[in-house]
Short mmCIF file of all heavy atoms in Angstrom, two decimals:
data_model
loop_
_atom_site.label_atom_id
_atom_site.label_comp_id
_atom_site.label_asym_id
_atom_site.label_seq_id
_atom_site.Cartn_x
_atom_site.Cartn_y
_atom_site.Cartn_z
N MET A 1 77.67 147.52 110.23
CA MET A 1 76.38 148.20 110.06
C MET A 1 75.33 147.14 109.71
O MET A 1 75.58 146.27 108.94
CB MET A 1 76.44 149.21 108.91
CG MET A 1 77.05 150.54 109.24
SD MET A 1 76.87 151.68 107.86
CE MET A 1 76.54 153.13 108.78
N THR A 2 74.16 147.35 110.27
CA THR A 2 73.03 146.48 109.98
C THR A 2 72.32 146.96 108.71
O THR A 2 72.59 148.06 108.23
CB THR A 2 72.03 146.44 111.16
OG1 THR A 2 71.48 147.77 111.25
CG2 THR A 2 72.69 146.02 112.41
N HIS A 3 71.43 146.10 108.23
CA HIS A 3 70.68 146.46 107.04
C HIS A 3 69.83 147.76 107.29
O HIS A 3 69.76 148.60 106.44
CB HIS A 3 69.71 145.33 106.69
CG HIS A 3 68.79 145.64 105.54
ND1 HIS A 3 69.27 145.77 104.24
CD2 HIS A 3 67.48 145.85 105.51
CE1 HIS A 3 68.25 146.06 103.45
NE2 HIS A 3 67.13 146.13 104.21
N ASN A 4 69.28 147.89 108.50
CA ASN A 4 68.49 149.09 108.82
C ASN A 4 69.33 150.31 108.82
O ASN A 4 68.93 151.38 108.36
CB ASN A 4 67.77 148.90 110.13
CG ASN A 4 66.64 147.92 110.08
OD1 ASN A 4 66.12 147.64 108.99
ND2 ASN A 4 66.28 147.36 111.20
N SER A 5 70.54 150.24 109.41
CA SER A 5 71.38 151.45 109.46
C SER A 5 71.89 151.83 108.08
O SER A 5 72.07 153.01 107.78
CB SER A 5 72.55 151.24 110.44
OG SER A 5 73.39 150.20 109.99
N ILE A 6 72.12 150.83 107.22
CA ILE A 6 72.54 151.14 105.84
C ILE A 6 71.38 151.85 105.11
O ILE A 6 71.60 152.87 104.43
CB ILE A 6 72.96 149.87 105.09
CG1 ILE A 6 74.24 149.32 105.70
CG2 ILE A 6 73.14 150.12 103.61
CD1 ILE A 6 74.65 147.93 105.23
N ALA A 7 70.18 151.35 105.27
CA ALA A 7 69.03 151.99 104.66
C ALA A 7 68.79 153.37 105.16
O ALA A 7 68.49 154.32 104.40
CB ALA A 7 67.78 151.11 104.87
N LEU A 8 68.97 153.57 106.49
CA LEU A 8 68.82 154.89 107.08
C LEU A 8 69.86 155.83 106.52
O LEU A 8 69.58 156.99 106.21
CB LEU A 8 68.93 154.78 108.60
CG LEU A 8 68.80 156.10 109.37
CD1 LEU A 8 67.44 156.76 109.12
CD2 LEU A 8 69.04 155.87 110.86
N THR A 9 71.09 155.35 106.43
CA THR A 9 72.20 156.22 105.90
C THR A 9 71.89 156.64 104.47
O THR A 9 72.02 157.81 104.13
CB THR A 9 73.53 155.46 105.97
OG1 THR A 9 73.79 155.09 107.32
CG2 THR A 9 74.68 156.33 105.49
N GLU A 10 71.46 155.69 103.64
CA GLU A 10 71.16 155.98 102.25
C GLU A 10 70.00 156.99 102.13
O GLU A 10 70.01 157.84 101.23
CB GLU A 10 70.78 154.71 101.50
CG GLU A 10 71.99 153.80 101.28
CD GLU A 10 71.61 152.44 100.64
OE1 GLU A 10 70.41 152.18 100.48
OE2 GLU A 10 72.52 151.63 100.41
N THR A 11 69.07 156.90 103.04
CA THR A 11 67.94 157.83 103.02
C THR A 11 68.36 159.21 103.45
O THR A 11 67.87 160.23 102.88
CB THR A 11 66.79 157.33 103.95
OG1 THR A 11 66.43 156.01 103.56
CG2 THR A 11 65.60 158.25 103.93
N LEU A 12 69.25 159.32 104.41
CA LEU A 12 69.67 160.62 104.95
C LEU A 12 70.73 161.32 104.16
O LEU A 12 70.87 162.55 104.25
CB LEU A 12 70.16 160.42 106.40
CG LEU A 12 69.12 160.04 107.42
CD1 LEU A 12 69.78 159.78 108.79
CD2 LEU A 12 68.04 161.11 107.57
N VAL A 13 71.54 160.62 103.36
CA VAL A 13 72.62 161.24 102.62
C VAL A 13 72.16 162.43 101.79
O VAL A 13 72.77 163.51 101.87
CB VAL A 13 73.39 160.19 101.74
CG1 VAL A 13 74.26 160.87 100.74
CG2 VAL A 13 74.19 159.26 102.64
N PRO A 14 71.09 162.35 101.00
CA PRO A 14 70.67 163.52 100.24
C PRO A 14 70.24 164.70 101.08
O PRO A 14 70.31 165.85 100.68
CB PRO A 14 69.53 163.02 99.39
CG PRO A 14 69.51 161.55 99.47
CD PRO A 14 70.26 161.18 100.72
N LEU A 15 69.78 164.39 102.30
CA LEU A 15 69.28 165.47 103.17
C LEU A 15 70.34 166.15 103.99
O LEU A 15 70.32 167.36 104.15
CB LEU A 15 68.21 164.87 104.10
CG LEU A 15 66.98 164.20 103.46
CD1 LEU A 15 66.15 163.50 104.47
CD2 LEU A 15 66.18 165.25 102.71
N VAL A 16 71.28 165.39 104.55
CA VAL A 16 72.23 165.96 105.48
C VAL A 16 73.69 165.72 105.09
O VAL A 16 74.61 166.23 105.81
CB VAL A 16 71.99 165.42 106.90
CG1 VAL A 16 70.67 165.86 107.43
CG2 VAL A 16 72.16 163.90 106.99
N GLY A 17 73.95 164.99 104.04
CA GLY A 17 75.33 164.70 103.66
C GLY A 17 75.82 163.36 104.23
O GLY A 17 75.25 162.84 105.19
N PRO A 18 76.86 162.81 103.62
CA PRO A 18 77.27 161.46 104.02
C PRO A 18 77.83 161.35 105.44
O PRO A 18 77.55 160.38 106.09
CB PRO A 18 78.36 161.13 102.96
CG PRO A 18 78.75 162.42 102.33
CD PRO A 18 77.61 163.36 102.52
N GLN A 19 78.62 162.32 105.87
CA GLN A 19 79.21 162.22 107.21
C GLN A 19 78.13 162.31 108.28
O GLN A 19 78.11 161.52 109.19
CB GLN A 19 80.27 163.28 107.42
CG GLN A 19 81.51 163.05 106.63
CD GLN A 19 82.57 164.14 106.87
OE1 GLN A 19 82.19 165.28 107.12
NE2 GLN A 19 83.84 163.76 106.75
N ARG A 20 77.28 163.29 108.13
CA ARG A 20 76.19 163.43 109.13
C ARG A 20 75.20 162.26 109.12
O ARG A 20 74.75 161.81 110.14
CB ARG A 20 75.46 164.75 108.82
CG ARG A 20 74.37 165.10 109.78
CD ARG A 20 74.90 165.98 110.88
NE ARG A 20 73.82 166.49 111.65
CZ ARG A 20 73.74 166.39 112.98
NH1 ARG A 20 74.73 165.82 113.64
NH2 ARG A 20 72.72 166.86 113.62
N ALA A 21 74.94 161.72 107.89
CA ALA A 21 74.04 160.59 107.78
C ALA A 21 74.68 159.37 108.48
O ALA A 21 73.95 158.64 109.19
CB ALA A 21 73.81 160.26 106.31
N ALA A 22 76.00 159.16 108.34
CA ALA A 22 76.63 158.02 109.01
C ALA A 22 76.61 158.20 110.52
O ALA A 22 76.36 157.26 111.26
CB ALA A 22 78.08 157.88 108.48
N ALA A 23 76.82 159.44 110.98
CA ALA A 23 76.78 159.70 112.39
C ALA A 23 75.41 159.45 112.99
O ALA A 23 75.27 158.88 114.06
CB ALA A 23 77.27 161.12 112.69
N LEU A 24 74.39 159.90 112.26
CA LEU A 24 73.00 159.70 112.76
C LEU A 24 72.64 158.23 112.75
O LEU A 24 71.96 157.77 113.68
CB LEU A 24 72.02 160.49 111.85
CG LEU A 24 72.05 162.02 112.06
CD1 LEU A 24 71.22 162.71 110.98
CD2 LEU A 24 71.55 162.39 113.45
N ALA A 25 73.06 157.52 111.73
CA ALA A 25 72.75 156.07 111.70
C ALA A 25 73.45 155.32 112.85
O ALA A 25 72.87 154.43 113.47
CB ALA A 25 73.19 155.47 110.37
N THR A 26 74.68 155.71 113.13
CA THR A 26 75.42 155.09 114.26
C THR A 26 74.69 155.45 115.58
O THR A 26 74.54 154.60 116.45
CB THR A 26 76.86 155.60 114.31
OG1 THR A 26 77.50 155.25 113.07
CG2 THR A 26 77.61 154.97 115.46
N TRP A 27 74.29 156.67 115.74
CA TRP A 27 73.62 157.10 116.96
C TRP A 27 72.29 156.35 117.11
O TRP A 27 71.89 155.94 118.21
CB TRP A 27 73.36 158.61 116.89
CG TRP A 27 72.57 159.11 118.07
CD1 TRP A 27 73.04 159.31 119.31
CD2 TRP A 27 71.17 159.42 118.08
NE1 TRP A 27 72.02 159.78 120.13
CE2 TRP A 27 70.88 159.83 119.40
CE3 TRP A 27 70.15 159.40 117.13
CZ2 TRP A 27 69.59 160.21 119.78
CZ3 TRP A 27 68.89 159.79 117.49
CH2 TRP A 27 68.62 160.19 118.80
N ALA A 28 71.55 156.11 116.00
CA ALA A 28 70.27 155.43 116.06
C ALA A 28 70.44 153.96 116.46
O ALA A 28 69.55 153.39 117.04
CB ALA A 28 69.58 155.51 114.69
N GLU A 29 71.59 153.36 116.19
CA GLU A 29 71.86 151.98 116.53
C GLU A 29 72.20 151.82 118.01
O GLU A 29 72.12 150.73 118.55
CB GLU A 29 72.99 151.41 115.71
CG GLU A 29 72.59 150.90 114.37
CD GLU A 29 73.75 150.17 113.70
OE1 GLU A 29 74.91 150.29 114.14
OE2 GLU A 29 73.50 149.47 112.71
N ASP A 30 72.67 152.88 118.64
CA ASP A 30 73.12 152.79 120.04
C ASP A 30 71.98 152.42 120.96
O ASP A 30 70.93 153.09 120.99
CB ASP A 30 73.71 154.14 120.44
CG ASP A 30 74.31 154.10 121.85
OD1 ASP A 30 74.60 152.99 122.32
OD2 ASP A 30 74.51 155.19 122.41
N GLU A 31 72.11 151.34 121.68
CA GLU A 31 71.10 150.88 122.62
C GLU A 31 71.54 150.99 124.06
O GLU A 31 71.08 150.27 124.92
CB GLU A 31 70.72 149.42 122.29
CG GLU A 31 70.02 149.29 120.98
CD GLU A 31 69.48 147.92 120.73
OE1 GLU A 31 69.47 147.11 121.68
OE2 GLU A 31 69.09 147.62 119.60
N THR A 32 72.46 151.91 124.33
CA THR A 32 72.92 152.09 125.68
C THR A 32 71.75 152.44 126.60
O THR A 32 70.97 153.33 126.30
CB THR A 32 73.96 153.23 125.73
OG1 THR A 32 75.02 152.94 124.83
CG2 THR A 32 74.49 153.44 127.15
N GLY A 33 71.63 151.73 127.68
CA GLY A 33 70.57 151.97 128.63
C GLY A 33 69.28 151.18 128.37
O GLY A 33 68.34 151.19 129.17
N ALA A 34 69.22 150.49 127.21
CA ALA A 34 67.98 149.76 126.87
C ALA A 34 67.73 148.66 127.87
O ALA A 34 66.61 148.42 128.27
CB ALA A 34 68.07 149.21 125.44
N GLN A 35 68.80 147.96 128.28
CA GLN A 35 68.65 146.88 129.21
C GLN A 35 68.13 147.41 130.57
O GLN A 35 67.30 146.84 131.22
CB GLN A 35 69.97 146.17 129.43
CG GLN A 35 69.85 144.69 129.39
CD GLN A 35 71.23 144.01 129.42
OE1 GLN A 35 72.23 144.63 129.68
NE2 GLN A 35 71.21 142.73 129.13
N THR A 36 68.68 148.55 130.98
CA THR A 36 68.26 149.15 132.28
C THR A 36 66.76 149.50 132.21
O THR A 36 66.03 149.28 133.14
CB THR A 36 69.10 150.39 132.57
OG1 THR A 36 70.47 150.02 132.57
CG2 THR A 36 68.72 151.02 133.86
N ALA A 37 66.33 150.06 131.10
CA ALA A 37 64.91 150.41 130.93
C ALA A 37 64.03 149.16 130.95
O ALA A 37 62.95 149.18 131.57
CB ALA A 37 64.72 151.17 129.63
N GLU A 38 64.52 148.08 130.33
CA GLU A 38 63.74 146.85 130.33
C GLU A 38 63.61 146.30 131.74
O GLU A 38 62.54 145.83 132.16
CB GLU A 38 64.39 145.80 129.41
CG GLU A 38 64.31 146.18 127.96
CD GLU A 38 65.20 145.33 127.06
OE1 GLU A 38 65.85 144.40 127.57
OE2 GLU A 38 65.26 145.60 125.86
N TYR A 39 64.69 146.33 132.53
CA TYR A 39 64.62 145.90 133.92
C TYR A 39 63.68 146.75 134.71
O TYR A 39 62.95 146.28 135.56
CB TYR A 39 66.01 145.87 134.53
CG TYR A 39 66.87 144.70 134.09
CD1 TYR A 39 68.14 144.93 133.62
CD2 TYR A 39 66.42 143.41 134.22
CE1 TYR A 39 68.96 143.86 133.23
CE2 TYR A 39 67.20 142.36 133.81
CZ TYR A 39 68.47 142.57 133.33
OH TYR A 39 69.22 141.51 132.94
N GLY A 40 63.74 148.06 134.46
CA GLY A 40 62.80 148.99 135.15
C GLY A 40 61.35 148.64 134.89
O GLY A 40 60.51 148.60 135.80
N ILE A 41 61.01 148.40 133.65
CA ILE A 41 59.63 148.11 133.27
C ILE A 41 59.22 146.78 133.86
O ILE A 41 58.13 146.60 134.38
CB ILE A 41 59.49 148.10 131.73
CG1 ILE A 41 59.61 149.55 131.21
CG2 ILE A 41 58.14 147.50 131.30
CD1 ILE A 41 59.74 149.66 129.75
N LEU A 42 60.12 145.80 133.80
CA LEU A 42 59.84 144.47 134.39
C LEU A 42 59.61 144.59 135.91
O LEU A 42 58.71 143.94 136.45
CB LEU A 42 60.99 143.51 134.07
CG LEU A 42 60.73 142.05 134.40
CD1 LEU A 42 59.58 141.50 133.60
CD2 LEU A 42 62.00 141.24 134.14
N THR A 43 60.43 145.38 136.56
CA THR A 43 60.26 145.57 138.01
C THR A 43 58.90 146.21 138.35
O THR A 43 58.21 145.78 139.22
CB THR A 43 61.41 146.47 138.54
OG1 THR A 43 62.64 145.82 138.26
CG2 THR A 43 61.25 146.68 140.06
N LEU A 44 58.49 147.22 137.55
CA LEU A 44 57.20 147.84 137.75
C LEU A 44 56.06 146.82 137.52
O LEU A 44 55.09 146.82 138.29
CB LEU A 44 57.01 149.04 136.84
CG LEU A 44 57.83 150.26 137.17
CD1 LEU A 44 57.66 151.33 136.11
CD2 LEU A 44 57.42 150.81 138.50
N ALA A 45 56.21 145.99 136.55
CA ALA A 45 55.17 144.96 136.30
C ALA A 45 55.12 143.98 137.44
O ALA A 45 54.04 143.59 137.88
CB ALA A 45 55.46 144.26 135.00
N ALA A 46 56.25 143.59 137.96
CA ALA A 46 56.30 142.64 139.09
C ALA A 46 55.69 143.24 140.35
O ALA A 46 54.94 142.58 141.08
CB ALA A 46 57.73 142.21 139.35
N VAL A 47 55.94 144.52 140.56
CA VAL A 47 55.37 145.19 141.73
C VAL A 47 53.82 145.30 141.57
O VAL A 47 53.07 145.09 142.54
CB VAL A 47 55.98 146.61 141.95
CG1 VAL A 47 55.21 147.45 142.94
CG2 VAL A 47 57.45 146.47 142.35
N GLY A 48 53.39 145.60 140.38
CA GLY A 48 51.93 145.65 140.14
C GLY A 48 51.28 144.32 140.35
O GLY A 48 50.19 144.19 140.97
N PHE A 49 51.95 143.23 139.85
CA PHE A 49 51.39 141.90 140.04
C PHE A 49 51.38 141.56 141.54
O PHE A 49 50.40 140.93 142.03
CB PHE A 49 52.24 140.92 139.24
CG PHE A 49 51.75 139.47 139.39
CD1 PHE A 49 50.57 139.07 138.79
CD2 PHE A 49 52.47 138.55 140.15
CE1 PHE A 49 50.11 137.76 138.95
CE2 PHE A 49 52.03 137.26 140.30
CZ PHE A 49 50.84 136.86 139.70
N ALA A 50 52.44 141.89 142.25
CA ALA A 50 52.47 141.60 143.68
C ALA A 50 51.38 142.34 144.42
O ALA A 50 50.77 141.76 145.38
CB ALA A 50 53.86 142.00 144.24
N GLY A 51 51.07 143.55 144.01
CA GLY A 51 49.97 144.30 144.64
C GLY A 51 48.62 143.61 144.41
O GLY A 51 47.83 143.46 145.35
N VAL A 52 48.38 143.19 143.20
CA VAL A 52 47.15 142.49 142.90
C VAL A 52 47.08 141.17 143.69
O VAL A 52 46.04 140.82 144.23
CB VAL A 52 47.02 142.22 141.36
CG1 VAL A 52 45.86 141.28 141.07
CG2 VAL A 52 46.83 143.54 140.65
N LEU A 53 48.18 140.45 143.72
CA LEU A 53 48.22 139.17 144.45
C LEU A 53 47.98 139.38 145.94
O LEU A 53 47.26 138.61 146.59
CB LEU A 53 49.60 138.52 144.24
CG LEU A 53 49.75 137.08 144.70
CD1 LEU A 53 48.77 136.19 143.99
CD2 LEU A 53 51.19 136.61 144.47
N ALA A 54 48.54 140.46 146.50
CA ALA A 54 48.33 140.76 147.90
C ALA A 54 46.85 141.04 148.17
O ALA A 54 46.30 140.59 149.21
CB ALA A 54 49.15 141.95 148.33
N VAL A 55 46.19 141.75 147.30
CA VAL A 55 44.77 142.07 147.49
C VAL A 55 43.95 140.81 147.43
O VAL A 55 43.06 140.55 148.24
CB VAL A 55 44.28 143.11 146.47
CG1 VAL A 55 42.78 143.22 146.43
CG2 VAL A 55 44.91 144.45 146.72
N VAL A 56 44.23 139.93 146.46
CA VAL A 56 43.51 138.68 146.29
C VAL A 56 43.74 137.75 147.46
O VAL A 56 42.78 137.19 148.01
CB VAL A 56 43.92 137.97 144.96
CG1 VAL A 56 43.39 136.55 144.92
CG2 VAL A 56 43.45 138.77 143.78
N LEU A 57 44.99 137.62 147.92
CA LEU A 57 45.29 136.68 149.01
C LEU A 57 44.75 137.17 150.37
O LEU A 57 44.54 136.37 151.28
CB LEU A 57 46.78 136.42 149.12
CG LEU A 57 47.37 135.61 147.98
CD1 LEU A 57 48.86 135.47 148.15
CD2 LEU A 57 46.73 134.25 147.88
N THR A 58 44.50 138.45 150.52
CA THR A 58 43.98 138.96 151.78
C THR A 58 42.45 139.05 151.80
O THR A 58 41.88 139.40 152.81
CB THR A 58 44.55 140.33 152.14
OG1 THR A 58 44.30 141.22 151.07
CG2 THR A 58 46.06 140.23 152.40
N SER A 59 41.82 138.65 150.69
CA SER A 59 40.37 138.69 150.66
C SER A 59 39.84 137.54 151.55
O SER A 59 40.49 136.50 151.70
CB SER A 59 39.84 138.50 149.25
OG SER A 59 40.11 137.22 148.79
N PRO A 60 38.70 137.72 152.18
CA PRO A 60 38.18 136.72 153.13
C PRO A 60 37.95 135.36 152.49
O PRO A 60 38.22 134.33 153.12
CB PRO A 60 36.82 137.33 153.57
CG PRO A 60 36.92 138.77 153.29
CD PRO A 60 37.86 138.91 152.12
N GLU A 61 37.50 135.33 151.25
CA GLU A 61 37.22 134.05 150.60
C GLU A 61 38.50 133.25 150.38
O GLU A 61 38.57 132.05 150.69
CB GLU A 61 36.54 134.25 149.23
CG GLU A 61 35.18 134.91 149.32
CD GLU A 61 35.26 136.42 149.37
OE1 GLU A 61 36.36 137.01 149.18
OE2 GLU A 61 34.22 137.05 149.59
N VAL A 62 39.50 133.90 149.89
CA VAL A 62 40.77 133.22 149.63
C VAL A 62 41.46 132.84 150.93
O VAL A 62 42.03 131.76 151.07
CB VAL A 62 41.75 134.10 148.73
CG1 VAL A 62 43.10 133.47 148.60
CG2 VAL A 62 41.11 134.33 147.39
N ARG A 63 41.39 133.71 151.94
CA ARG A 63 41.97 133.40 153.25
C ARG A 63 41.31 132.11 153.79
O ARG A 63 41.97 131.26 154.35
CB ARG A 63 41.78 134.55 154.20
CG ARG A 63 42.42 134.34 155.54
CD ARG A 63 42.28 135.50 156.42
NE ARG A 63 43.15 136.56 155.93
CZ ARG A 63 43.23 137.78 156.44
NH1 ARG A 63 42.49 138.12 157.46
NH2 ARG A 63 44.04 138.67 155.93
N GLU A 64 39.98 132.04 153.68
CA GLU A 64 39.30 130.86 154.18
C GLU A 64 39.71 129.57 153.43
O GLU A 64 39.94 128.53 154.04
CB GLU A 64 37.79 131.06 154.05
CG GLU A 64 36.93 129.93 154.61
CD GLU A 64 35.45 130.22 154.46
OE1 GLU A 64 35.05 131.34 154.38
OE2 GLU A 64 34.71 129.21 154.42
N LEU A 65 39.86 129.69 152.13
CA LEU A 65 40.33 128.54 151.33
C LEU A 65 41.73 128.10 151.77
O LEU A 65 42.00 126.89 151.89
CB LEU A 65 40.33 128.89 149.83
CG LEU A 65 38.99 128.95 149.14
CD1 LEU A 65 39.18 129.49 147.71
CD2 LEU A 65 38.35 127.59 149.10
N LEU A 66 42.60 129.04 152.01
CA LEU A 66 43.98 128.73 152.39
C LEU A 66 44.02 128.07 153.82
O LEU A 66 44.74 127.12 154.04
CB LEU A 66 44.86 129.97 152.38
CG LEU A 66 45.18 130.51 150.96
CD1 LEU A 66 45.93 131.85 151.07
CD2 LEU A 66 45.97 129.50 150.14
N VAL A 67 43.22 128.62 154.71
CA VAL A 67 43.16 128.05 156.08
C VAL A 67 42.62 126.60 156.02
O VAL A 67 43.13 125.71 156.66
CB VAL A 67 42.29 128.92 157.01
CG1 VAL A 67 42.00 128.21 158.34
CG2 VAL A 67 43.00 130.23 157.28
N ASP A 68 41.57 126.38 155.22
CA ASP A 68 41.03 125.03 155.05
C ASP A 68 42.04 124.08 154.45
O ASP A 68 42.19 122.94 154.89
CB ASP A 68 39.80 125.03 154.17
CG ASP A 68 38.56 125.69 154.85
OD1 ASP A 68 38.61 125.85 156.12
OD2 ASP A 68 37.61 126.04 154.15
N LEU A 69 42.78 124.57 153.47
CA LEU A 69 43.80 123.73 152.81
C LEU A 69 44.87 123.33 153.81
O LEU A 69 45.25 122.16 153.88
CB LEU A 69 44.41 124.48 151.64
CG LEU A 69 45.45 123.79 150.84
CD1 LEU A 69 44.86 122.59 150.08
CD2 LEU A 69 46.15 124.71 149.88
N VAL A 70 45.37 124.29 154.58
CA VAL A 70 46.40 123.98 155.59
C VAL A 70 45.87 123.05 156.70
O VAL A 70 46.52 122.13 157.10
CB VAL A 70 46.99 125.29 156.16
CG1 VAL A 70 47.90 125.02 157.37
CG2 VAL A 70 47.70 126.09 155.10
N SER A 71 44.67 123.31 157.12
CA SER A 71 44.05 122.46 158.15
C SER A 71 43.90 121.02 157.69
O SER A 71 44.22 120.09 158.41
CB SER A 71 42.66 122.99 158.53
OG SER A 71 42.78 124.26 159.12
N GLN A 72 43.45 120.84 156.46
CA GLN A 72 43.33 119.46 155.91
C GLN A 72 44.69 118.81 155.76
O GLN A 72 44.82 117.61 156.04
CB GLN A 72 42.62 119.51 154.56
CG GLN A 72 41.15 119.84 154.64
CD GLN A 72 40.48 119.96 153.26
OE1 GLN A 72 41.12 119.66 152.28
NE2 GLN A 72 39.25 120.40 153.27
N ALA A 73 45.68 119.54 155.37
CA ALA A 73 47.02 118.97 155.22
C ALA A 73 47.57 118.53 156.53
O ALA A 73 48.24 117.50 156.68
CB ALA A 73 47.93 119.98 154.54
N LEU A 74 47.33 119.34 157.61
CA LEU A 74 47.81 118.99 158.93
C LEU A 74 47.04 117.82 159.53
O LEU A 74 47.65 117.02 160.29
CB LEU A 74 47.71 120.21 159.85
CG LEU A 74 48.69 121.35 159.54
CD1 LEU A 74 48.40 122.57 160.43
CD2 LEU A 74 50.12 120.93 159.64
N GLN A 75 45.80 117.67 159.23
CA GLN A 75 44.99 116.57 159.74
C GLN A 75 45.43 115.23 159.12
O GLN A 75 45.37 114.20 159.76
CB GLN A 75 43.50 116.76 159.48
CG GLN A 75 42.93 117.88 160.33
CD GLN A 75 41.48 118.18 159.98
OE1 GLN A 75 40.91 117.59 159.07
NE2 GLN A 75 40.87 119.14 160.70
N ARG A 76 45.86 115.26 157.91
CA ARG A 76 46.28 114.02 157.22
C ARG A 76 47.64 113.57 157.70
O ARG A 76 48.01 112.43 157.60
CB ARG A 76 46.34 114.23 155.72
CG ARG A 76 44.99 114.45 155.11
CD ARG A 76 45.07 114.58 153.63
NE ARG A 76 43.76 114.90 153.09
CZ ARG A 76 43.52 115.16 151.83
NH1 ARG A 76 44.50 115.08 150.97
NH2 ARG A 76 42.33 115.41 151.41
N GLY A 77 48.48 114.52 158.15
CA GLY A 77 49.87 114.21 158.53
C GLY A 77 49.90 113.58 159.87
O GLY A 77 50.20 112.66 160.43
#
């Protein structure tokens, strides 16, 4: 048990009894699925960033800069 679960158990004992308090503290510690949720949020953030990047890269100004950059690189080679 962690310090937080011990504190939670001690707080709940007068309210729900020792067995129920221990069960609730154990349930509160369970992080099943937390990693999956983190990956989901990270994936959504990556998709959002990709969308913004796509809009920026397809703008006429940025497209012109990229074409100039590639043209200059090919001329030097």
Side-chain angles (χ1 to χ4, degrees):
M1 279 188 143
T2 64
H3 175 69
N4 288 339
S5 63
I6 292 170
L8 180 61
T9 302
E10 290 174 356
T11 303
L12 291 174
V13 166
L15 301 172
V16 296
Q19 289 180 330
R20 183 92 169 126
L24 288 171
T26 302
W27 177 77
E29 276 188 346
D30 185 19
E31 293 188 11
T32 303
Q35 225 173 14
T36 303
E38 290 168 4
Y39 283 127
I41 291 169
L42 189 63
T43 302
L44 288 175
V47 168
F49 180 72
V52 170
L53 191 60
V55 169
V56 169
L57 290 178
T58 57
S59 69
E61 297 86 7
V62 174
R63 183 178 288 177
E64 185 179 334
L65 286 172
L66 291 174
V67 168
D68 289 344
L69 181 68
V70 171
S71 296
Q72 289 176 8
L74 292 175
Q75 289 174 359
R76 292 183 186 177

